[in-house]
Amino acid sequence: MPFGLVTAWKRRLAKSSDQNDPWKYKSLEYWQLDDRRPSAKRRQRSSVYTLKEMEEATSSFGDENLLGKGGFGRVYKGTLSSGEVVAIKKMELPSFKSAEGDREREFRVEVDILSRLEHPNLVSLIGYCADGKHRFLVYEFMQHGNLEDHLNGISEMKMDWSQRLKVALGAAKGLDYLHSGSALGIPIVHRDFKSTNILLNSSFEAKVTILG
């Protein structure tokens, strides 16, 4: 399952017919999030981009902008027309045509879920692109990469114990937000929690990613 994000209710999306089932996928209107959270703290709606904008942001997905690969596809560093630096996840089409429907449904559910999550220790979804058969997710860029590179000495920057403790606490807060209900009112279980999925910003603040 891409992103490393798994919820039991998501897997029942196409199977459950019980409207009272708390684990069944519900629309934004059902949860009435605007009534549950102060509007001043909510992010604006996720932006929608075109394929051309994604190509321009990544220099046509040049290898020099490749950050890594995941179960969902490749991640590129990009610069939007506004000058904002972002991480762009490019969805790879499935090998079998029969799987395209599942991948498309999964993409839509992921956008729906991730656009509602908001916490200082989670990597934020900025927007997405659904242009023809092309699918992309646009996330905030994390300047210091993932935690594993720092722990293994791959990164030139060394972390002292106070920084490591700060990262551990930040990651724990991000997980607690997901597991204790988050903005959706139900728990979201992160199935792939590891050092490569803990990213660090310019201030070495830890943010849990569900990019996969």
Side-chain angles (χ1 to χ4, degrees), residues 130-148:
D131 193 337
K133 288 188 176 182
H134 301 281
R135 298 292 182 269
F136 303 88
L137 294 175
V138 182
Y139 290 88
E140 64 175 312
F141 180 72
M142 303 297 285
Q143 294 83 349
H144 286 310
N146 66 67
L147 177 60
E148 182 181 61

Side-chain angles (χ1 to χ4, degrees), residues 50-64:
T50 64
L51 174 60
K52 182 179 179 180
E53 288 177 305
M54 298 290 92
E55 291 175 336
E56 292 176 346
T58 60
S59 298
S60 297
F61 309 105
D63 291 340
E64 68 277 9

